[in-house]
Amino acid sequence: MPSPGWWAVHGQVADFQTARERLERAGARRPGRLAALVDLEPEAIDLLSTLLEQGTPERTVEKEMARGTDGGAAVGRLAVARQLIPEKELVRGQALAPAMRAFSEDGKQARRLRALEVEAVTQKVMRGESLDPEEASWWAASTTKTLPFSASPEGLGRRADVVEVWLRHEPVNDEMWGQSSSQALDIGDLAVAELWARRAAELAPRWLGILARVLLEEGRWGEAESIFRRLLASASGEEHGRVLHELAGVLERQGRYMEAEVLLRQALASKENALGTAHPSYAASLHELATVLERQGGYMEAEVLLRQALTNKENALGTVHPSYAASLHELAGVLERQGRYMEAEVLLRQALASKENALGIAHPSYAASLHELAGVLERQGRYMEAEVLLRQVLASKEKTLGTVHPSYTASLHELAGVLDRRGLYTEAEVLLRQVLEIEERALGTAHPGYAASLHALAVVLGRQGRYVEAEVLLRQVLATDRTALGTAHPSYAVSLRELARVLERQGRYPEAEVLLHQVLSLEENALGATHPDLCATLTLLGFTLARQDRPKEAEPFLRRAVEIAAASWGTHHAETAQALHRLAQVQAALKEKEAVTTARQAVEALLHSVGPDHPITRQALPELNRILEESSGNQSS
């Protein structure tokens, strides 16, 4: 990014989104970058758009910009060279500011041409020829000669000391850069957002918060945490609670849920003292604490807090406020995690109605709730409905956010998951590779978001039996997560478990077993011994031991998986059903009578949670029915 050229003396910038759209219509492939390179100078945006529309290659523009530090002047040089600016306008200072700066770069030539023009107009005056007001104003400001009154054109007397302003001279302030950074952050242009946030923070430390938020979105969590801790040291009153809240958000993103919980409880106490419990900011921290508890499997307390936040927001803001809808959305997520899909669906449809009234259906927040509703439908096996919603979400986000925004790629990622569930692996793979291509440009290959998409691609490849390719990708994911997140982050354990699954499917049971014990230890340390995320690991570990003809060792792990799942989600949840299925298999292998009861519980759980037509049910029922039939045959004998 070049150093600032025009903006040091320019008091107004173009709206970033408007500038981006203007350049995009003109044919720019990277409109956000070009807008940033000219520091959002409105006149430079106009000239640049004209150049692109008239066929000037984008690479030519960037090459010209690379010659100096003033991107706007570079655009001006190209405009002058292509005769988009009449020479008379340049000489008289009436051209757009970027062209004027380009014209002034050769000071000697500019002074010579200006002197010739002044003399030409002077001769017109001496001959008594009429001048229009604009010409008269320029001449009066450019010459030391006095114009005879008799030859004075109308308006010259009143404007003799006025010159056309080449640049607006109000200085740039921190407010302008801070707001511009927020706009860039909202549409996902993180590099630009960071540049402007740093300019705002240099002018006023109060903008360090927006810089930290940008760094957080870039995955630079350590830097964001450092800034918030610095702000916390000097914060007091209402600001103290706000910074505690934001710092907790950084820790949450790193998987440091217990630390985040402590800070959020402190934030609530601070806000209660400064603002009272009826203030919307207090409700915001209740909402965030519920989110952190949900990540730790504390669904019941999370639900209580969210209902409290909703009551608070309803009283303070009303039910059509976006913040109220956001808590409805979050509560739906908590219910979903408990397998209460129908309740979650009702709340999400309620959130959508609220957001439609408050924001309109084109707003990204409306699309976010559509995305979440698609997820709830997917959990119920309603894949076609989920796919329709996700394609609608993608169309909306493409219009409002563009195809490089993280929210757009998140929905593309989710659609790939739905296609994967439907067995459309090739289509899912195509979408995930598209996601990776976008994220590589926007985030880089070292970003945790990129690693998450690699993980998803590995899962899809594994479904196709392409285990070697999947293994390579998962080891790449683990290397990225190890560097970016650390081995204590829950995401690292999830990818390690998926690698174990790939090894198990290749019959490499001892290797898979070693990894699964490691995953179990990591998850117990990070999440606690009863967290629902342990269920998948315990179930896979039990199954891996059973595949090695060690059913006696497998049984305790599977019993523990069933206990945790039933306590977290209830007996009629898909996760509970899958754990029951594996336990029934092991008990049958051990000739235990309890196998029949367990198999019946598994069948009942599957039918109640996802229904008879769900792929999970169709896959499990033959084995469960075999266990029941063998038991029935033994009893008949």
Side-chain angles (χ1 to χ4, degrees):
M1 186 66 63
S3 300
W6 68 280
W7 60 265
V9 294
H10 204 297
Q12 180 179 341
V13 295
D15 174 74
F16 179 64
Q17 182 65 12
T18 302
R20 189 174 180 277
E21 291 172 355
R22 173 80 171 88
L23 291 170
E24 196 170 40
R25 286 197 303 273
R29 291 180 297 105
R30 302 169 72 184
R33 173 176 169 79
L34 289 179
L37 286 171
V38 296
D39 286 308
L40 280 185
E41 183 180 10
E43 296 89 340
I45 297 293
D46 289 339
L47 282 178
L48 186 48
S49 299
T50 303
L51 284 168
L52 292 171
E53 287 165 352
Q54 295 195 1
T56 303
E58 196 167 331
R59 62 180 179 273
T60 300
V61 175
E62 291 208 26
K63 183 177 179 181
E64 186 66 22
M65 288 179 179
R67 290 178 51 196
T69 60
D70 185 346
V75 172
R77 284 194 298 274
L78 288 172
V80 171
R82 284 159 174 72
Q83 298 182 333
L84 297 181
I85 311 292
E87 185 176 275
K88 183 174 287 188
E89 288 185 14
L90 290 167
V91 171
R92 294 185 178 184
Q94 296 166 344
L96 295 175
M100 290 308 308
R101 294 201 304 282
F103 176 71
S104 300
E105 286 174 345
D106 186 346
K108 184 176 180 181
Q109 174 71 354
R111 287 191 295 274
R112 186 183 72 81
L113 292 174
R114 192 173 292 116
L116 289 173
E117 183 66 8
V118 168
E119 183 58 26
V121 177
T122 300
Q123 292 302 317
K124 286 178 66 176
V125 172
M126 293 298 107
R127 291 195 297 269
E129 296 177 16
S130 297
L131 305 180
D132 61 53
E134 192 173 286
E135 186 176 50
S137 294
W138 174 80
W139 179 84
S142 305
T143 184
T144 57
K145 295 184 178 180
T146 303
L147 184 68
F149 182 79
S150 59
S152 176
E154 184 177 351
L156 181 60
R158 295 192 299 274
R159 300 183 59 188
D161 59 344
V162 177
V163 65
E164 177 71 19
V165 178
W166 294 353
L167 290 171
R168 293 171 287 277
H169 292 285
E170 295 179 12
V172 165
N173 56 48
D174 61 283
E175 188 78 24
M176 181 192 71
W177 289 124
Q179 291 179 355
S180 297
S181 177
S182 293
Q183 286 182 331
L185 180 60
D186 284 344
I187 69 161
D189 205 329
L190 300 181
V192 172
E194 182 187 345
L195 175 69
W196 292 341
R198 290 192 183 280
R199 288 180 181 170
E202 285 168 5
L203 293 169
R206 70 191 181 94
W207 292 102
L208 281 169
I210 185 66
L211 174 59
R213 286 192 285 278
V214 173
L215 294 172
L216 180 62
E217 291 304 316
E218 291 180 311
R220 295 156 65 180
W221 297 327
E223 294 174 71
E225 180 182 347
S226 177
I227 290 175
F228 280 127
R229 291 197 183 279
R230 173 181 162 190
L231 291 172
L232 186 61
S234 58
S236 60
E238 180 183 346
E239 181 70 6
H240 183 257
R242 186 190 66 78
V243 176
L244 279 169
H245 179 113
E246 297 221 53
L247 177 57
V250 176
L251 298 178
E252 180 199 344
R253 292 286 284 273
Q254 297 177 69
R256 295 157 63 183
Y257 302 131
M258 287 183 281
E259 293 175 72
E261 180 184 344
V262 170
L263 289 185
L264 284 165
R265 293 192 188 279
Q266 291 176 7
L268 283 166
S270 177
K271 289 182 177 183
E272 183 174 355
N273 289 332
L275 303 168
T277 59
H279 195 280
S281 181
Y282 183 84
S285 290
L286 279 177
H287 178 121
E288 187 66 21
L289 176 57
T291 301
V292 169
L293 292 171
E294 184 261 337
R295 299 285 189 275
Q296 299 176 79
Y299 303 130
M300 293 183 67
E301 187 180 357
E303 181 179 345
V304 169
L305 291 179
L306 284 166
R307 293 192 186 280
Q308 185 180 342
L310 281 165
T311 299
N312 178 306
K313 290 179 178 181
E314 181 175 357
N315 292 333
L317 306 170
T319 59
V320 296
H321 194 279
S323 182
Y324 181 83
S327 290
L328 278 177
H329 179 120
E330 186 65 25
L331 177 56
V334 170
L335 297 177
E336 177 193 348
R337 288 298 297 266
Q338 297 176 72
R340 295 158 63 182
Y341 301 127
M342 293 180 68
E343 294 175 72
E345 182 179 343
V346 169
L347 287 184
L348 284 168
R349 294 192 185 281
Q350 190 178 337
L352 284 165
S354 177
K355 290 180 178 182
E356 183 175 355
N357 289 331
L359 305 169
I361 62 173
H363 195 278
S365 181
Y366 183 86
S369 288
L370 269 184
H371 176 119
E372 187 68 19
L373 177 57
V376 169
L377 297 175
E378 178 196 346
R379 303 297 184 279
Q380 298 175 72
R382 295 158 64 182
Y383 299 131
M384 298 293 289
E385 293 175 73
E387 182 181 344
V388 169
L389 284 187
L390 285 168
R391 293 194 185 280
Q392 183 180 339
V393 168
L394 285 165
S396 173
K397 288 182 177 179
E398 184 173 355
K399 288 181 181 177
T400 57
L401 302 173
T403 58
V404 298
H405 193 280
S407 181
Y408 180 86
T409 54
S411 293
L412 209 56
H413 188 132
E414 183 71 17
L415 177 57
V418 169
L419 297 175
D420 171 38
R421 300 291 190 283
R422 291 180 58 200
L424 302 172
Y425 303 129
T426 303
E427 293 178 51
E429 180 182 345
V430 168
L431 288 186
L432 286 168
R433 292 194 185 280
Q434 184 180 340
V435 169
L436 286 164
E437 185 180 343
I438 294 170
E439 289 179 337
E440 182 175 355
R441 291 198 307 268
L443 304 173
T445 58
H447 193 281
Y450 182 84
S453 296
L454 268 185
H455 176 114
L457 178 58
V459 171
V460 170
L461 295 176
R463 298 258 206 274
Q464 299 175 70
R466 295 158 64 183
Y467 300 126
V468 176
E469 294 174 74
E471 181 181 346
V472 170
L473 290 186
L474 286 166
R475 294 193 186 280
Q476 185 180 339
V477 170
L478 287 165
T480 299
D481 284 350
R482 192 180 300 116
T483 302
L485 305 174
T487 57
H489 194 282
S491 290
Y492 182 82
V494 170
S495 292
L496 203 60
R497 182 175 65 224
E498 189 60 33
L499 176 58
R501 191 187 307 278
V502 167
L503 296 176
E504 179 269 323
R505 286 173 179 168
Q506 296 177 75
R508 296 157 64 182
Y509 303 126
E511 294 175 73
E513 181 185 344
V514 169
L515 289 186
L516 287 167
H517 281 294
Q518 185 181 343
V519 172
L520 188 59
S521 176
L522 287 171
E523 289 180 332
E524 287 175 333
N525 290 334
L527 304 171
T530 60
H531 192 281
D533 281 4
L534 270 67
C535 290
T537 303
L538 289 165
T539 301
L540 182 57
L541 178 54
F543 182 67
T544 301
L545 291 169
R547 297 280 283 186
Q548 298 177 75
D549 296 322
R550 294 156 62 189
K552 201 71 178 175
E553 294 175 64
E555 187 176 13
F557 291 109
L558 292 167
R559 283 189 182 278
R560 186 179 167 197
V562 170
E563 288 169 4
I564 293 174
S568 300
W569 297 304
T571 56
H572 290 164
H573 190 277
E575 291 289 342
T576 310
Q578 291 181 80
L580 283 166
H581 173 204
R582 296 305 184 196
L583 178 58
Q585 287 178 306
V586 166
Q587 290 172 336
L590 292 169
K591 309 297 183 185
E592 294 180 358
K593 293 181 179 179
E594 195 179 351
V596 177
T597 302
T598 305
R600 285 177 180 151
Q601 290 174 339
V603 171
E604 185 179 351
L606 285 167
L607 294 177
H608 277 82
S609 61
V610 294
D613 297 324
H614 196 286
I616 293 175
T617 307
R618 291 201 301 268
Q619 182 180 12
L621 276 181
E623 176 68 16
L624 292 168
N625 287 331
R626 184 186 63 77
I627 293 170
L628 294 172
E629 287 167 5
E630 287 181 359
S631 171
S632 176
N634 291 336
Q635 289 176 0
S636 299
S637 303

